[in-house]
Amino acid sequence: MTKNDFWEGVRGGFPIMLAASPFGALFGALAVDNGFTIADAVFMSATVYAGASQMVGIELFGNHVQPWLVVLSVFAVNFRHVLYSASIAKYVRHFTFGQKFLAFFLLVDPQYAETEKRGERGLPITFAWYLGFGLVIYIPWIINTLVGAIFGQMIGDPKAIGLDVLLPVYFMGLVMGFRKRDRFLPIVTVSGLASVAGMHFVGSPWHVSIGALAGILLAACLPPTNQAPAPTGVQKEA
Amino acid sequence: MDPQHLNLIYLIIAAAAATFLTRVGGYILITQMKQIPPRLEAALNAVPAAVLTTLVAPAFVYGGLDVTIAMFVAFAVALGLNLSTLRMLVIGWVVVMVIRHVVM
């Protein structure tokens, strides 16, 4: 039974592993291009295990941004995981402490989405299923990072093979992934303008915090909308 | 290990700890807190788009004409055809390679 659950998880995670593989290799190559050794790149994939934030981390590190700002940015990019772990709390309550620890470590976007989907359908979220699904993504992620890092170290000029365009386009894709959220356009516009202004008037590392802060402050200051995902009960009663 | 490389290791460990904190934090918060204030929720909701945009906009403006064109084409095609990030990456890469090796 437990063994079956594990393999069902492995089968479920397999397509996601395939889709994530190019990004693992891309991270490895770009990490080396930004001054990481092969071992550093693999170490980061194995410990942080969060694709987009790893890319953000190496990009900022390559630009000699202050360490606290790099960590803060990684934290900010991964902040959505707070919502994930809150949301799946009801499904993993029966895990032991050690199982929870491992489960939260492996909680990447597809892991969250699949757990939520499975729970909604009324299927049991066993630790065996969760682990099978998680490991078939986690282990290849590390191996692909290694492959990409080795490949990246063999490349002479990253511009000649177009590596430098990949990160901005990748981040652009990530931004577009949030386009259904409230106030998306004003936030992106303000953050974009503020970051360009920050780059121009202050300098490279600071444009990240200036731009991010501008967008976040705007979102906090704008009046709440009706279509907000979790409308405030207070207003409805008033 | 030289100190600068050691700093990188510490940085990675700190980034890993920060990430783990987000992944376990929601579970801890939900068992403590009843409700998140709406403005805080709006601010948190804006974090990914606001942070990621700051990594896109300067490259678009200062990355050079070839990068700007590649980003614009990738954005327009991906938005128009509702393509995945991976396909968008391929389009951007092809455009910049064509500009660099064929046009120029």
PDB file of all heavy atoms in Angstrom, chain B residues 26-40:
ATOM      1  N   GLY B  26       4.105  29.351   6.922  1.00  0.00           N
ATOM      2  CA  GLY B  26       2.655  29.389   6.755  1.00  0.00           C
ATOM      3  C   GLY B  26       1.960  28.400   7.660  1.00  0.00           C
ATOM      4  O   GLY B  26       0.914  28.699   8.239  1.00  0.00           O
ATOM      5  N   TYR B  27       2.563  27.232   7.798  1.00  0.00           N
ATOM      6  CA  TYR B  27       1.992  26.192   8.658  1.00  0.00           C
ATOM      7  C   TYR B  27       1.951  26.673  10.107  1.00  0.00           C
ATOM      8  O   TYR B  27       0.955  26.504  10.801  1.00  0.00           O
ATOM      9  CB  TYR B  27       2.820  24.919   8.541  1.00  0.00           C
ATOM     10  CG  TYR B  27       2.262  23.757   9.331  1.00  0.00           C
ATOM     11  CD1 TYR B  27       1.253  22.961   8.809  1.00  0.00           C
ATOM     12  CD2 TYR B  27       2.744  23.465  10.603  1.00  0.00           C
ATOM     13  CE1 TYR B  27       0.731  21.900   9.520  1.00  0.00           C
ATOM     14  CE2 TYR B  27       2.232  22.410  11.332  1.00  0.00           C
ATOM     15  CZ  TYR B  27       1.223  21.626  10.790  1.00  0.00           C
ATOM     16  OH  TYR B  27       0.718  20.587  11.511  1.00  0.00           O
ATOM     17  N   ILE B  28       3.069  27.300  10.524  1.00  0.00           N
ATOM     18  CA  ILE B  28       3.147  27.791  11.905  1.00  0.00           C
ATOM     19  C   ILE B  28       2.152  28.943  12.114  1.00  0.00           C
ATOM     20  O   ILE B  28       1.411  28.965  13.083  1.00  0.00           O
ATOM     21  CB  ILE B  28       4.592  28.229  12.234  1.00  0.00           C
ATOM     22  CG1 ILE B  28       5.514  27.012  12.223  1.00  0.00           C
ATOM     23  CG2 ILE B  28       4.659  28.950  13.571  1.00  0.00           C
ATOM     24  CD1 ILE B  28       6.991  27.334  12.187  1.00  0.00           C
ATOM     25  N   LEU B  29       2.123  29.880  11.133  1.00  0.00           N
ATOM     26  CA  LEU B  29       1.232  31.040  11.254  1.00  0.00           C
ATOM     27  C   LEU B  29      -0.238  30.641  11.299  1.00  0.00           C
ATOM     28  O   LEU B  29      -1.003  31.155  12.091  1.00  0.00           O
ATOM     29  CB  LEU B  29       1.469  32.001  10.084  1.00  0.00           C
ATOM     30  CG  LEU B  29       2.681  32.914  10.185  1.00  0.00           C
ATOM     31  CD1 LEU B  29       2.773  33.790   8.947  1.00  0.00           C
ATOM     32  CD2 LEU B  29       2.597  33.795  11.423  1.00  0.00           C
ATOM     33  N   ILE B  30      -0.614  29.702  10.429  1.00  0.00           N
ATOM     34  CA  ILE B  30      -2.030  29.349  10.306  1.00  0.00           C
ATOM     35  C   ILE B  30      -2.550  28.717  11.594  1.00  0.00           C
ATOM     36  O   ILE B  30      -3.727  28.816  11.905  1.00  0.00           O
ATOM     37  CB  ILE B  30      -2.273  28.427   9.088  1.00  0.00           C
ATOM     38  CG1 ILE B  30      -3.724  28.509   8.624  1.00  0.00           C
ATOM     39  CG2 ILE B  30      -1.930  26.979   9.380  1.00  0.00           C
ATOM     40  CD1 ILE B  30      -4.041  29.699   7.778  1.00  0.00           C
ATOM     41  N   THR B  31      -1.633  28.074  12.326  1.00  0.00           N
ATOM     42  CA  THR B  31      -2.071  27.462  13.579  1.00  0.00           C
ATOM     43  C   THR B  31      -2.072  28.484  14.725  1.00  0.00           C
ATOM     44  O   THR B  31      -2.514  28.166  15.825  1.00  0.00           O
ATOM     45  CB  THR B  31      -1.170  26.267  13.943  1.00  0.00           C
ATOM     46  OG1 THR B  31       0.194  26.643  13.794  1.00  0.00           O
ATOM     47  CG2 THR B  31      -1.441  25.074  13.034  1.00  0.00           C
ATOM     48  N   GLN B  32      -1.557  29.689  14.478  1.00  0.00           N
ATOM     49  CA  GLN B  32      -1.521  30.741  15.501  1.00  0.00           C
ATOM     50  C   GLN B  32      -2.519  31.866  15.217  1.00  0.00           C
ATOM     51  O   GLN B  32      -3.220  32.322  16.094  1.00  0.00           O
ATOM     52  CB  GLN B  32      -0.122  31.386  15.563  1.00  0.00           C
ATOM     53  CG  GLN B  32       1.030  30.427  15.602  1.00  0.00           C
ATOM     54  CD  GLN B  32       1.363  30.004  17.008  1.00  0.00           C
ATOM     55  OE1 GLN B  32       1.280  30.808  17.917  1.00  0.00           O
ATOM     56  NE2 GLN B  32       1.702  28.743  17.189  1.00  0.00           N
ATOM     57  N   MET B  33      -2.539  32.287  13.933  1.00  0.00           N
ATOM     58  CA  MET B  33      -3.199  33.529  13.553  1.00  0.00           C
ATOM     59  C   MET B  33      -4.598  33.249  13.024  1.00  0.00           C
ATOM     60  O   MET B  33      -4.842  32.244  12.370  1.00  0.00           O
ATOM     61  CB  MET B  33      -2.351  34.173  12.443  1.00  0.00           C
ATOM     62  CG  MET B  33      -2.502  35.632  12.276  1.00  0.00           C
ATOM     63  SD  MET B  33      -1.420  36.075  10.892  1.00  0.00           S
ATOM     64  CE  MET B  33      -1.255  37.800  11.109  1.00  0.00           C
ATOM     65  N   LYS B  34      -5.516  34.172  13.289  1.00  0.00           N
ATOM     66  CA  LYS B  34      -6.881  33.988  12.789  1.00  0.00           C
ATOM     67  C   LYS B  34      -7.046  34.620  11.410  1.00  0.00           C
ATOM     68  O   LYS B  34      -7.619  34.062  10.511  1.00  0.00           O
ATOM     69  CB  LYS B  34      -7.867  34.610  13.784  1.00  0.00           C
ATOM     70  CG  LYS B  34      -7.994  33.803  15.065  1.00  0.00           C
ATOM     71  CD  LYS B  34      -9.330  33.080  15.130  1.00  0.00           C
ATOM     72  CE  LYS B  34      -9.312  31.949  16.145  1.00  0.00           C
ATOM     73  NZ  LYS B  34      -9.267  32.434  17.525  1.00  0.00           N
ATOM     74  N   GLN B  35      -6.509  35.844  11.243  1.00  0.00           N
ATOM     75  CA  GLN B  35      -6.737  36.573   9.998  1.00  0.00           C
ATOM     76  C   GLN B  35      -5.559  37.486   9.666  1.00  0.00           C
ATOM     77  O   GLN B  35      -4.975  38.094  10.567  1.00  0.00           O
ATOM     78  CB  GLN B  35      -8.015  37.412  10.127  1.00  0.00           C
ATOM     79  CG  GLN B  35      -8.656  37.712   8.786  1.00  0.00           C
ATOM     80  CD  GLN B  35      -9.861  38.620   8.924  1.00  0.00           C
ATOM     81  OE1 GLN B  35     -10.228  39.025  10.037  1.00  0.00           O
ATOM     82  NE2 GLN B  35     -10.449  38.970   7.819  1.00  0.00           N
ATOM     83  N   ILE B  36      -5.219  37.573   8.377  1.00  0.00           N
ATOM     84  CA  ILE B  36      -4.164  38.484   7.937  1.00  0.00           C
ATOM     85  C   ILE B  36      -4.821  39.809   7.549  1.00  0.00           C
ATOM     86  O   ILE B  36      -5.804  39.808   6.812  1.00  0.00           O
ATOM     87  CB  ILE B  36      -3.403  37.898   6.721  1.00  0.00           C
ATOM     88  CG1 ILE B  36      -2.832  36.518   7.077  1.00  0.00           C
ATOM     89  CG2 ILE B  36      -2.296  38.830   6.267  1.00  0.00           C
ATOM     90  CD1 ILE B  36      -2.212  35.796   5.899  1.00  0.00           C
ATOM     91  N   PRO B  37      -4.304  40.970   8.057  1.00  0.00           N
ATOM     92  CA  PRO B  37      -4.893  42.264   7.676  1.00  0.00           C
ATOM     93  C   PRO B  37      -4.869  42.434   6.159  1.00  0.00           C
ATOM     94  O   PRO B  37      -3.881  42.059   5.514  1.00  0.00           O
ATOM     95  CB  PRO B  37      -3.972  43.291   8.349  1.00  0.00           C
ATOM     96  CG  PRO B  37      -3.172  42.535   9.340  1.00  0.00           C
ATOM     97  CD  PRO B  37      -3.150  41.106   8.928  1.00  0.00           C
ATOM     98  N   PRO B  38      -5.955  43.019   5.584  1.00  0.00           N
ATOM     99  CA  PRO B  38      -6.067  43.092   4.123  1.00  0.00           C
ATOM    100  C   PRO B  38      -4.920  43.839   3.439  1.00  0.00           C
ATOM    101  O   PRO B  38      -4.477  43.430   2.364  1.00  0.00           O
ATOM    102  CB  PRO B  38      -7.398  43.795   3.898  1.00  0.00           C
ATOM    103  CG  PRO B  38      -7.850  44.285   5.224  1.00  0.00           C
ATOM    104  CD  PRO B  38      -7.176  43.477   6.261  1.00  0.00           C
ATOM    105  N   ARG B  39      -4.430  44.899   4.062  1.00  0.00           N
ATOM    106  CA  ARG B  39      -3.346  45.658   3.408  1.00  0.00           C
ATOM    107  C   ARG B  39      -2.047  44.861   3.410  1.00  0.00           C
ATOM    108  O   ARG B  39      -1.264  44.927   2.464  1.00  0.00           O
ATOM    109  CB  ARG B  39      -3.148  47.008   4.102  1.00  0.00           C
ATOM    110  CG  ARG B  39      -4.302  47.956   3.828  1.00  0.00           C
ATOM    111  CD  ARG B  39      -3.895  49.411   3.892  1.00  0.00           C
ATOM    112  NE  ARG B  39      -5.067  50.271   3.829  1.00  0.00           N
ATOM    113  CZ  ARG B  39      -5.577  50.737   2.693  1.00  0.00           C
ATOM    114  NH1 ARG B  39      -5.026  50.411   1.542  1.00  0.00           N
ATOM    115  NH2 ARG B  39      -6.628  51.508   2.702  1.00  0.00           N
ATOM    116  N   LEU B  40      -1.822  44.108   4.464  1.00  0.00           N
ATOM    117  CA  LEU B  40      -0.644  43.245   4.514  1.00  0.00           C
ATOM    118  C   LEU B  40      -0.757  42.154   3.458  1.00  0.00           C
ATOM    119  O   LEU B  40       0.200  41.849   2.747  1.00  0.00           O
ATOM    120  CB  LEU B  40      -0.495  42.615   5.912  1.00  0.00           C
ATOM    121  CG  LEU B  40       0.663  41.645   6.075  1.00  0.00           C
ATOM    122  CD1 LEU B  40       1.997  42.350   5.861  1.00  0.00           C
ATOM    123  CD2 LEU B  40       0.642  40.984   7.452  1.00  0.00           C
TER     124      LEU B  40
END
